[in-house]
Amino acid sequence: MPVGTYLKKPKWSLYYDRDGKQFDGGVPWFGALIACFASGGLVWSVRATLHKEATG
């Protein structure tokens, strides 16, 4: 980027402004990956708890 380019990134957003034009980052792959791991962990913990209650 040339010197003097104005960048602005609002907190908790997926896009940024460069010289007044809005740019997005495309598909947020990292966020989707984290959400998959979190969902998998939640399902695993619920299944483990239910299994423990059924056998114990």
Side-chain angles (χ1 to χ4, degrees), residues 35-49:
C36 287
F37 278 118
S39 299
L42 179 65
V43 168
W44 176 78
S45 64
V46 168
R47 290 185 67 191
T49 302

Side-chain angles (χ1 to χ4, degrees), residues 13 17 30 36 40 55:
S13 67
D17 292 332
F30 182 72
C36 287
T55 60

Side-chain angles (χ1 to χ4, degrees), residues 9-10 12-16 23-26 28:
K9 170 125 181 10
W12 304 112
S13 67
L14 298 176
Y15 69 91
Y16 65 94
F23 292 89
D24 60 356

Side-chain angles (χ1 to χ4, degrees), residues 1-18:
M1 280 184 229
V3 175
T5 301
Y6 176 73
L7 293 175
K8 179 182 175 188
K9 170 125 181 10
K11 191 174 186 177
W12 304 112
S13 67
L14 298 176
Y15 69 91
Y16 65 94
D17 292 332
R18 184 173 69 187

